[in-house]
Amino acid sequence: MISVSLSINQLIEAIQQLSESEKQQVRGVLDGKYLLLTDEQKEEILRRESEYKSGRMKTYFLAEVKSSLNFLD
């Protein structure tokens, strides 16, 4: 892992100097588009998607989830 010490202003200035293509890559990282998953995590996502689409997975309304977590709005 690389560690770079920049203030937020230095980071903004550095990003402003990038090409539009490079800026899009930075946006992708910030939006989570470049999340790195292990093969095991990818398989689990596909398994859950299959269970959901086949109707074998139990689903809950948001209100039920909030209630079970004692979530207060």
Side-chain angles (χ1 to χ4, degrees):
M1 175 174 269
I2 297 173
S3 177
V4 179
S5 296
L6 295 175
S7 70
I8 188 68
N9 290 333
Q10 290 171 317
L11 179 59
I12 290 170
E13 187 176 320
I15 292 172
Q16 289 172 335
Q17 301 304 313
L18 298 175
S19 69
E20 190 55 39
S21 173
E22 292 166 326
K23 288 177 185 177
Q24 287 178 355
Q25 288 180 325
V26 171
R27 281 187 209 102
V29 169
L30 295 174
D31 290 341
K33 293 179 184 173
Y34 292 102
L35 260 172
L36 300 177
L37 301 174
T38 65
D39 287 340
E40 183 180 335
Q41 290 168 323
K42 290 175 188 176
E43 288 173 18
E44 179 64 14
I45 289 169
L46 293 174
R47 184 192 69 75
R48 290 182 186 197
E49 180 182 37
S50 174
E51 290 289 309
Y52 174 76
K53 287 182 176 180
S54 70
R56 294 186 303 253
M57 178 183 279
K58 173 97 172 101
T59 58
Y60 301 90
F61 290 103
L62 181 57
E64 293 174 293
V65 174
K66 286 182 175 182
S67 176
S68 73
L69 297 173
N70 297 319
F71 182 82
L72 303 174
D73 286 319

